Amino acid sequence: MISVGVSGWLMEATASLRFLDDASNVLFVGPPGVGKTMLSVALGRAAVGAGHRVYFTTAAELAAKCHQAALEGRWKTCMRFFAGPRLLIIDELGYLPLPEDGASALFQVINQRYLKSSTILSTNVGIADWASAFGDATVAAAMLDRLLHRAAVVGIDGPSYRLRHHQTRAETLRQGVNARVS
């Protein structure tokens, strides 16, 4: 596992896509609105541009598809589907609670891909909190073991880009009110 900053690593990763050759993973960890999805999509687009198969999904959507496949007797087909792309991007892990079988399905997908192909995962849940987020410490530990074995963990912090405009406007209004009171 390598913990890195965003700028230098991202530029090198996008230019070389070497992490795909190594079947390494990328975990973008940070609060909402800091660009985790945008960075994941940028790497996905670069991979598509280099001729690789890429699939993008949210964690909740992946869990729902796996659940439906299990109900319909298509579990093996579903696992082959998610094991197929050279790069699988799983977005928004931790934003919505996963049902118990959802965490298990996510583990199965990660396990199928382990050492064979790359996964990019974006999450707002710190690695230390995965056990509580999944409700099962064993599944969380096994998933992290496989994900982090060959991974770059990119921590991103800062204010939400969606709220920056509102914060700037609130500060302007606050300064105007304070100027009138003085």
Side-chain angles (χ1 to χ4, degrees):
M1 175 180 80
I2 303 169
S3 255
V4 294
V6 177
S7 59
W9 179 86
L10 184 64
M11 289 171 42
E12 190 277 328
T14 304
S16 71
L17 295 174
R18 193 171 323 150
F19 73 100
L20 294 176
D21 296 332
D22 300 341
S24 296
N25 302 310
V26 180
L27 278 73
F28 289 117
V29 182
V34 295
K36 298 179 304 293
T37 300
M38 181 196 69
L39 295 171
S40 299
V41 169
L43 286 171
R45 290 181 62 114
V48 167
H52 300 290
R53 283 186 31 215
V54 176
Y55 187 76
F56 179 96
T57 187
T58 64
E61 185 178 296
L62 182 145
K65 284 183 179 185
C66 289
H67 178 75
Q68 189 65 32
L71 291 176
E72 296 172 358
R74 298 181 296 104
W75 182 257
K76 286 183 179 181
T77 303
C78 183
M79 289 297 109
R80 277 194 308 273
F81 173 81
F82 283 116
R86 183 78 180 270
L87 176 60
L88 175 64
I89 301 171
I90 304 171
D91 196 31
E92 299 179 347
L93 180 69
Y95 284 82
L96 298 172
L98 290 176
E100 185 178 320
D101 65 340
S104 176
L106 182 58
F107 168 75
Q108 291 295 326
V109 168
I110 298 301
N111 192 47
Q112 288 283 325
R113 300 179 60 76
Y114 179 59
L115 299 177
K116 297 175 194 147
S117 44
S118 299
T119 302
I120 294 177
L121 199 141
S122 71
T123 181
N124 65 334
V125 178
I127 291 170
D129 298 325
W130 277 35
S132 60
F134 287 113
D136 186 329
T138 304
V139 169
M143 193 177 331
L144 281 169
D145 181 61
R146 286 156 181 79
L147 281 170
L148 297 177
H149 176 220
R150 285 197 217 160
V153 178
V154 183
I156 308 171
D157 201 11
S160 168
Y161 75 89
R162 292 180 196 96
L163 299 179
R164 286 182 188 143
H165 172 73
H166 297 291
Q167 290 167 338
T168 302
R169 184 175 162 135
E171 184 59 32
T172 302
L173 290 172
R174 191 176 308 111
Q175 289 173 355
V177 169
N178 289 341
R180 286 188 208 131
V181 173
S182 301

